[in-house]
């Protein structure tokens, strides 16, 4: 968030002196004024941290590690030591990445996608492309290892650790989402790891996987031959599009799970939602070429990649319709967690509709290098996933800490954030249709100067929306000490995590649970409740 603030301030007021920035990089911001190269360095770090270390990590690893064993009735995940190793390996990867701020000429300027040949040839190609680029590649390689270790743990836990009676069709949809995401992580991060190794070899061992013959850099011809920069794009985007669903599928599970509880009715089309997530996971591996429509691929190849790109929107649309069907006729409880679920649907639909434009090669050729893609990516992948993180936090905080978050502060946080992100990212779609290129550090061209007021509006909205997140942080800290004590099941929910104490004991359950019901059975019972816990006796129904 801080990195995005710095970039937005520079875009809106390109001669502004940013306090303290000169101490972070005297060469990148002499006198506190950011250089275009340093802007690209911050862009690289912002994209890498958000996509890898936030959106890939929090919805899957944070909540999945905690609640998958609880929801399947297990004492622990299948490989606790492997799980801890994955966490600490991720910490090392993040530390290596952040260290690029303090070495040599700073972080690389190659963007979070690190396209060769810029990222492959060494420091003479530009600032940050020496030690900074090497550290970036090492960081991503370590992160890939951590993600694969975590994925193995998730898959085995899902398959082997379910308690008695917990059949596949009795699993909460969150468990299905974490399982499918783990498969995507195992398959896609292994490919990215291989690509990172090859890129590092090009930089340090004299190989030429990604560097073409007779490449001229800074007046000198590179001593490489036979490589292809497009090979990296194929390897990266073969990871990169499953990555979109690595960030968003856990949100599918969280939203499906919470909507049922806060509408007090079963989720509409449980098996269809599971099937849609499986189809999305499969199709995510056959659409990577739509990121390369402007790379010079043949029109026929572009056409072939366009077809599954359109098709993958169908299971997502079906899932969205099932969410709306679940809402229809329900007894809605508008808690903060529920509001963030509704906001997730809003953001996902808005971002998804913009993706339909980019699925067509002819339209993408115009929009691809513009702010339209920036707006699309942040809506459908960034903000949607973060709203799922917020929803999950407000929902499961009582189980984790034994106290309730403040709903008053929560609603303040929700409304200001919801309005703010639309003010930040919707104008980017208009900028893109106006031809505003992305990755530009300054808007000096004649046709871009009239767009500066809109950039300033976005910047003010971004600063305000970011500041609102401190309300959320305060709520987390204050409620942990002073919040209302939470009961074991404050939401009157049905899944197994609510049958144990808040927070759970070591081993999760005092007695191993036995599952007799599905995960979303709401309705009148013999005891007068409107819900049936999965571990209730079979006779609980009236």
């Amino acid at each position: 968030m801080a990195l995005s603030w710095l970039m937005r301030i520079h875009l809106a007021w390109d001669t502004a002196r940013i306090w303290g920035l000169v101490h972070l990089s005297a060469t990148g911001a002499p006198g506190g004024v950011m250089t275009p190269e340093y802007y690209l360095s911050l862009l690289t770090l912002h994209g890498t941290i958000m996509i890898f270390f936030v959106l890939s990590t929090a919805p899957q690893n944070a909540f999945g590690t905690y609640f998958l064993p609880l929801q399947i009735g297990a004492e622990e995940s299948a490989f606790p030591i492997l799980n801890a190793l994955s966490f600490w390996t991720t910490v090392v990867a993040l530390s290596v990445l952040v260290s690029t701020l303090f070495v040599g000429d700073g972080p690389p300027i190659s963007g979070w996608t690190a396209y060769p040949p810029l990222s492959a040839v060494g420091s003479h190609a530009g600032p940050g492309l020496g030690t900074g680029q090497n550290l970036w590649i090492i960081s991503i390689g370590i992160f890939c290892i951590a993600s694969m270790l975590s994925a193995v743990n998730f898959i085995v836990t899902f398959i082997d650790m379910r308690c008695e009676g917990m059949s596949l069709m009795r699993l909460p949809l969150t468990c299905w989402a974490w399982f499918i995401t783990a498969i995507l992580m195992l398959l896609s991060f292994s490919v990215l790891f291989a690509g990172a190794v090859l890129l590092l070899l090009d930089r340090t061992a004299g190989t030429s996987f990604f560097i073409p013959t007779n490449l001229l850099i800074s007046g000198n011809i590179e001593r490489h031959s036979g490589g292809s920069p497009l090979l990296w794009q194929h390897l990266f985007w073969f990871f990169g599009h499953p990555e979109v669903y690595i960030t968003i599928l856990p949100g599918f599970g969280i939203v499906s799970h919470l909507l049922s509880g806060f509408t007090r009715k079963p989720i509409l089309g449980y098996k269809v939602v599971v099937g849609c997530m499986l189809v999305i996971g499969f199709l995510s591996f056959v659409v990577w070429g739509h990121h390369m429509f402007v790379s010079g691929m043949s029109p026929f190849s572009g056409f072939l990649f366009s077809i599954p790109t359109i098709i993958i929107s169908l299971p997502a649309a079906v899932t969205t319709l099932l969410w709306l069907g679940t809402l229809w006729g329900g007894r809605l409880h508008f808690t903060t967690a529920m509001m963030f679920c509704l906001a997730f649907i809003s953001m996902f639909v808005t971002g998804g509709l913009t993706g339909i434009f980019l699925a067509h090669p002819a339209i993408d050729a115009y929009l691809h290098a513009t702010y339209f893609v920036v707006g699309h990516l942040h809506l459908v992948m960034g903000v949607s996933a973060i709203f799922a993180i917020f929803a999950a936090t407000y929902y499961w905080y009582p189980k984790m800490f034994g106290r309730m978050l403040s709903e008053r502060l929560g609603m303040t946080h929700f409304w200001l954030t919801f309005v703010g992100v639309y003010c930040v990212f919707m104008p980017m779609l208009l900028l893109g249709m106006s031809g505003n290129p992305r990755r530009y550090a300054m808007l000096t061209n004649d046709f871009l100067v009239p767009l500066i007021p809109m950039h300033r509006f976005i910047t003010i909205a971004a600063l305000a929306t970011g500041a609102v997140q401190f309300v959320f942080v305060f709520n987390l800290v204050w409620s942990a000490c002073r919040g209302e004590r939470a009961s074991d099941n404050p939401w009157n929910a049905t899944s197994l995590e609510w049958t144990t104490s808040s927070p759970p004991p070591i081993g999760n359950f005092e007695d191993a649970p036995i599952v007799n019901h599905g995960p979303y059975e709401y309705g009148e019972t013999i005891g007068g409740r409107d819900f049936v816990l999965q571990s209730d006796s079979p006779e609980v129904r009236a």
Side-chain angles (χ1 to χ4, degrees), residues 126-162:
L129 297 176
T131 304
Q133 187 69 64
N134 286 339
L135 290 173
W136 185 94
I137 297 169
I138 292 169
S139 170
I140 295 304
I142 296 172
F143 182 84
C144 290
I145 294 172
S147 298
M148 289 186 283
L149 293 175
S150 172
V152 170
N153 184 54
F154 270 93
I155 292 169
V156 177
T157 301
F158 177 91
I159 294 173
D160 282 352
M161 302 295 288
R162 302 192 308 274

Side-chain angles (χ1 to χ4, degrees), residues 161-421:
M161 302 295 288
R162 302 192 308 274
C163 67
E164 182 180 347
M166 183 61 83
S167 64
L168 291 178
M169 289 298 105
R170 284 180 172 175
L171 286 164
L173 288 169
T174 43
C175 298
W176 277 106
W178 289 322
F179 172 64
I180 296 168
T181 302
I183 295 174
L184 300 188
M185 292 174 71
L186 187 63
L187 297 177
S188 63
F189 278 107
S190 59
V191 174
L192 181 62
F193 178 76
V197 170
L198 299 182
L199 184 59
L200 193 60
L201 289 174
D202 271 10
R203 295 177 53 81
T204 60
T207 60
S208 183
F209 294 103
F210 307 120
I211 305 175
T213 306
N214 295 327
L215 179 67
L216 187 68
I217 298 288
S218 302
N220 298 310
I221 296 179
E222 292 292 315
R223 293 180 295 174
H224 294 263
S225 62
S228 171
L230 290 182
L231 174 59
W232 169 265
Q233 291 194 33
H234 282 290
L235 293 173
F236 184 88
W237 290 118
F238 187 82
F239 144 81
H241 205 80
E243 166 67 8
V244 173
Y245 295 101
I246 287 170
T247 68
I248 209 70
L249 278 178
F252 272 44
I254 290 166
V255 169
S256 301
H257 189 72
L258 271 61
L259 282 182
S260 180
F262 289 121
T263 57
R264 314 309 295 168
K265 59 183 289 193
I267 188 75
L268 183 63
Y270 171 93
K271 292 182 179 179
V272 179
V273 175
V274 172
C276 286
M277 289 194 291
L278 287 168
V279 170
I280 288 171
F282 170 76
L283 289 176
S284 70
F285 283 102
V286 297
V287 297
W288 79 90
H290 71 226
H291 295 274
M292 301 171 60
F293 283 156
V294 297
S295 67
M297 68 165 54
S298 74
F300 182 69
S301 297
F303 171 72
L304 290 181
F305 278 114
S306 180
I307 293 173
T309 303
I310 294 295
I311 293 174
I312 202 173
S313 66
L314 298 180
V318 169
T319 305
T320 303
L321 291 174
L322 292 173
W323 289 334
L324 298 178
T326 302
L327 292 169
W328 185 266
R331 290 177 290 152
L332 275 59
H333 292 205
F334 291 107
T335 64
T336 305
M338 175 65 159
M339 297 302 289
F340 273 111
C341 287
L342 298 177
F344 173 95
I345 298 173
S346 172
M347 292 293 162
F348 183 73
V349 170
T350 303
L353 289 174
T354 61
I356 294 176
F357 293 93
L358 300 174
H360 296 277
I363 302 175
D364 183 74
Y366 174 77
L367 295 174
H368 186 88
T370 72
Y371 261 81
F372 192 92
V373 172
V374 180
H376 161 74
L377 181 144
H378 282 84
L379 287 170
V380 78
M381 181 179 172
V383 178
S384 295
I386 287 177
F387 277 8
I389 293 170
F390 285 146
T393 303
Y394 281 100
Y395 182 71
W396 278 315
Y397 188 92
K399 181 56 58 180
M400 293 186 285
F401 296 98
R403 293 182 182 270
M404 304 294 291
L405 284 169
S406 167
E407 283 291 309
R408 179 176 295 179
L409 290 175
M411 284 296 183
T412 301
H413 172 227
F414 166 75
W415 282 111
L416 293 177
T417 301
F418 181 69
V419 174
V421 294

Side-chain angles (χ1 to χ4, degrees), residues 4-29:
S4 67
W5 275 353
L6 294 174
M7 290 187 292
R8 288 305 324 171
I9 291 171
H10 181 70
L11 276 171
W13 300 281
D14 54 32
T15 59
R17 296 182 182 274
I18 302 175
W19 180 84
L21 195 57
V22 67
H23 300 296
L24 188 61
S25 176
T27 57

